[in-house]
Amino acid sequence: MASPVRPPSKGPARQPSRTGSRPERQRAKTESPSVKPQARPDLKALETQVFRGPNYWSYEPCIRMLVDLGSLEHWPSNTLPGFNDALLELLPGLEEHSCSLGRPGGFVERLREGTWVGHVAEHAALELQRETGTHIPRGKTRSAGQPGHYNVIFGYGEESVGLAAGKLAVRLVNHLVQAEEGLDFLAELEGLIRLSERRAFGPSTQALIDEATGRDIPWIRLNEQSLVQLGQGKYQKRIRATMTSMTGALAVDVAGDKKLTTQLLAAAGLPVPRSEIVRSEEEAIAAAGRIGFPVVTKPIDGNHGRGVMLDLRDEQAVRGGYRKSLAEAHRPLVVVESYVTGSDFRVLVVGGHMVAVAQRVPAHVVGDGEHTVRELIEVTNADPRRGIGHEKVLTKIKVDETAVELVRKQGFELDDVPPKDAFVKLVATGNMSTGGISIDRTWEAHEENVEIAEEAARVIGLDVAGIDFLTPDISKPVRETGGAIVEVNAAPVFRMHTHPTEGDAQYVAKPVIDALFPPGSPSRIPFVSVTGSNGKTTTVRMIAHILKGMGHKVGMTSTDGIYIDERLVKRADASGPKSAQMVLQNPRVDLAVFEVARGGILREGLGYDRNDVAVVTNVTGDHLGLKEVHSIKQLAAVKRVVVEAVPRNGYAVLNADDELVADMRKHCSGSVIFFSMREDNDLVQRWVRRGGKAVVIQGQPRGEMMVIREGRRTMPIGWVHQLPATFEGRARMMVANALAAAAAAHAAGAHLHDIRAGLRSFNTSIYQAPGRLNLFDLDGVKVLIDYAHNAHGLETVGDFVERMSSSVPSWVPPGAASWQANLKMAVIATPGDRRDDDMRELGKVAARYFDDIIIREDRNPRGRKRGEAAQHILEGVQEAARSGHRVGSVEIVLDEMAAARKALSRARPGDVVVLCVDYATEVWKELEARKLQATPLMLQGPPGNGQIEPAGGDPDLIEFGVGL
């Protein structure tokens, strides 16, 4: 129990780390009581997070609690009087926990030698969940840096139950330190168990999910009840209890109409009782007379045995039966049918074939000569297998007026003591939902009865059907014994077959999953995940563009929004796990490309269990100081999560020019493809010589060639200067993005000609890559729109401006665009949650590349005062100016649109204006409006390779995603 959360990955094995270092554990045993503050119940959970996929802490879903031990930081468990014994008395299952010692009883040893109460809370949360029936062995506790603060990590089965278990674990620890007035632990535990029962799937749904999980079929819960998606994207199927995507609505309607069902079965020559539909008591009496007593009344559209009244032998009984059946009917119609004697059998038919047979015995008690009927019911309901409704394998028996009348018919009252071995029925029908039990009879059913049941399911048209027989003996043909089919059920419950009270369990979920996902058929769509500090969004768009050209229906998420087959369906920062889930639920998508941001990983983890291809573009010092990530190595460990989520048959695409990214190869279970801007990269050379793959740039007399290298083979992709997004190779960050995209597409199965075609048709227009190196010619002023928001990003943009202003390389075709910039101007900003030093560094970079600088701020200050972030950037510019960098002018204009307008108004023909934007479409609309004021609307051809967008572009097309 509480084994290390992350299993070892490929490469050097990750050693299981213990909770607390050896010196810390020694301190726990030897710390002098004389220097301790008084032990108080002040363990607190400062933060609680739920991770729903692979994350920084665990490969699997887990909960993180940041706890403050308070005074208990000085009180290890072995120094708290009576603490350990009281804990084990309340949660005896803790004695089985292995902890870091790797053997049962390991945690108790840790308790005895002394461990911190945060670690105790971790194990208590796991054991509390086990008390609810969920066995989760994953957990660990780690120091959070600040004295007394610890990250308590533990797995969970159901989210709300895991959260409640963590909360109760903290209360329990405090209670054992000093008794909390009003805390009834057993009552709290019972409440946790009830919460688990309410949130749990029913036995039928759980059986299907367990079978799907065993086949590596992913699933998503779609609502609070039993609607579940199995599979992803276009391969998805849905189930609700035992109804499936293949269950016909018409068949369900037919099965719900008992009279129509009887008619169809009779027309097929199957044995059914005589029946009539009635609308009043008088009609019911008349029908009973024609059919012949005894009779049965039932609602025409009832289920689970509700309102079924049996063995009605006279007019008065028929009147009472009619009223009770009518009360359970959705429509004011009641079926009167002949009463068939015999035992109740359920035949489960899946895909036209019988898979299980169970005898259903009505809810009852058996006398012992000592207890009353009421007491015997209480004893029976105390069976832990019994619950409310379908939450457990058996249902508690309900005592109502019908039960009292039935007991009275048998000669007893509830407070009478029945003789020993007396069988006292409490419900007339054998439904499990009314407290009945089941006996497996699968191998006893006569083959003729099996054929009748299978034919009944085919006649009604159900893929999963429960055929109810009444017959004295299921091992003999019903046509000989006088039995009949009394009901056909859509969405039959499985628990009587999976958990029979007597006999062998039948694995009835297997044929259902076989029908939904025949052996060999896919259930998962392939998907690519892209992370890194810079270049994520453009790389995602490039990959999606290449794969779209192959005919895929691509689902894509990015900071711009969610796109399905290149159609914008939701505009938002969609780089988190919830957006990924939206794509996986779309039935058109056959391949997904996800942008994965640091924030989403730290907030909720990944939105899936694994990715086929993981791409890491780079790791720079952005976002440091947030969410306990204070170093660039910690940031790399966060982004490494996507690499750790690569399966053995998957790929990681890693930047060989970034040491932190290249080192992630040690944590990848699958294969690795490197990409590099440097042909002479030592790592790439060694990797290729050993037979590995790499996508690199090779310098040749005619220019730079993008190639795939593998061993001795070199496969050309294309000339860099022919790729529009690279601006004849001078946008070096775009060259790097193209390398990553080519490697990812190759890993995803794209052929070389598909990669070439995709890269040659991808450009950085506002329509294909909004906010990513969008170039606009405004009356002789070159305007560049980019999302650059950190020092590294702005440096790549500045380098691009420098290269565009320099001489044209010899391999570039005549007439290629180049600039002779008179003045280089930039509007810059950075998010307010960055460190002060990062903001100053942005200012220093701006001063190196630009003559005039306008500093703005984002609309969301992210916790800072208005103007504070701009002031720090200004300090960086001023520091650079003192170091010798020439800056013509610098000023602060906080509003984004005001800053952009000021820069555009100041610019003159021949100038270059770089607008680092937060709202790219609004800025683009401003440019279009200015161009329309200066130039008449002219019809022009579509933009060519890397050319400026024509005048008259409709900015509303950008706003609503049309044509993206």
Side-chain angles (χ1 to χ4, degrees), residues 190-210:
E190 182 178 352
L192 184 67
I193 294 173
R194 289 185 178 276
L195 173 64
S196 176
E197 292 173 349
R198 289 196 303 270
R199 294 289 300 158
F201 288 115
S204 301
T205 306
Q206 191 63 57
L208 292 171
I209 290 175
D210 290 343

Side-chain angles (χ1 to χ4, degrees), residues 409-712:
K409 284 183 179 179
Q410 299 168 77
F412 302 103
E413 298 293 338
L414 289 181
D415 294 321
D416 290 345
V417 178
K420 184 176 178 60
D421 297 329
F423 187 93
V424 182
K425 292 173 64 175
L426 298 163
V427 180
T429 60
N431 296 76
M432 299 289 290
S433 58
T434 56
I437 65 171
S438 65
I439 304 171
D440 182 62
R441 304 290 189 191
T442 301
W443 306 113
E444 302 172 22
H446 193 277
E447 61 181 17
E448 183 175 323
N449 296 339
V450 171
E451 290 176 359
I452 290 173
E454 292 174 346
E455 185 69 9
R458 285 190 285 268
V459 168
I460 302 304
L462 290 169
D463 62 323
V464 181
I467 313 300
D468 290 345
F469 277 95
L470 282 179
T471 182
D473 189 348
I474 197 67
S475 65
K476 297 179 181 179
V478 293
R479 289 190 173 95
E480 296 180 7
T481 59
I485 298 174
V486 295
E487 194 166 346
V488 176
N489 297 273
V493 295
F494 283 176
R495 60 178 175 165
M496 69 184 74
H497 308 294
T498 58
H499 297 83
T501 314
E502 298 179 25
D504 298 329
Q506 302 298 321
Y507 297 98
V508 296
K510 180 181 183 300
V512 178
I513 302 299
D514 281 340
L516 295 174
F517 298 95
S521 63
S523 62
R524 294 175 177 268
I525 63 171
F527 50 87
V528 181
S529 298
V530 181
T531 192
S533 295
N534 293 301
K536 298 187 296 295
T537 302
T538 303
T539 303
V540 161
R541 286 183 173 275
M542 283 183 174
I543 297 170
H545 183 73
I546 294 170
L547 299 175
K548 167 66 177 176
M550 297 173 61
H552 286 291
K553 302 290 186 183
V554 180
M556 184 187 81
T557 66
S558 72
T559 51
D560 299 324
I562 301 174
Y563 294 81
I564 304 297
D565 197 22
E566 292 193 336
R567 297 284 182 176
L568 178 66
V569 297
K570 183 176 182 180
R571 182 179 296 281
D573 182 347
S575 56
K578 289 186 174 63
S579 303
Q581 289 280 303
M582 288 182 64
V583 169
L584 297 178
Q585 291 178 35
N586 190 286
R588 288 195 296 149
V589 173
D590 62 9
L591 192 147
V593 184
F594 298 138
E595 178 179 346
V596 180
R598 165 212 58 89
I601 297 175
L602 289 173
R603 186 173 58 252
E604 297 182 65
L606 302 182
Y608 43 82
D609 57 348
R610 64 176 185 252
N611 34 232
D612 300 274
V613 182
V615 181
V616 185
T617 59
N618 47 60
V619 178
T620 65
D622 196 17
H623 298 100
L624 296 182
L626 302 175
K627 292 286 185 181
E628 298 184 14
V629 177
H630 301 289
S631 72
I632 194 166
K633 287 188 177 181
Q634 287 179 310
L635 182 61
V638 173
K639 296 183 180 296
R640 193 177 65 209
V641 169
V642 297
V643 176
E644 293 169 337
V646 172
R648 292 191 178 276
N649 61 345
Y651 288 86
V653 175
L654 304 177
N655 185 351
D657 299 331
D658 188 317
E659 184 178 351
L660 289 172
V661 176
D663 194 57
M664 295 180 189
R665 68 189 184 279
K666 302 172 184 177
H667 301 268
C668 180
S669 297
S671 303
V672 173
I673 301 177
F674 284 116
F675 68 93
S676 173
M677 297 282 287
R678 293 170 33 225
E679 184 180 1
D680 61 348
N681 184 292
D682 291 338
L683 174 60
V684 170
Q685 298 291 349
R686 296 196 307 271
W687 190 259
V688 170
R689 281 199 299 269
R690 292 199 299 264
K693 286 185 179 181
V695 181
V696 299
I697 297 295
Q698 283 188 344
Q700 299 186 14
R702 292 181 54 197
E704 293 179 322
M705 172 70 74
M706 183 186 298
V707 299
I708 299 177
R709 295 184 59 193
E710 181 181 14
R712 295 183 178 181

Side-chain angles (χ1 to χ4, degrees), residues 17 42 85 209 270 281 422 443 464 648 668 713 797 839 872:
S17 54
D42 49 6
D85 292 338
I209 290 175
L270 301 178
E281 291 182 18
W443 306 113
V464 181
R648 292 191 178 276
C668 180
R713 291 198 305 163
V797 173
M839 295 178 178
H872 288 310

Side-chain angles (χ1 to χ4, degrees), residues 312-331:
L312 307 178
R313 295 181 173 272
D314 52 40
E315 292 185 3
Q316 183 177 355
V318 170
R319 289 182 185 276
Y322 173 85
R323 288 193 293 269
K324 292 179 180 178
S325 297
L326 185 63
E328 295 290 342
H330 295 92
R331 292 182 290 164

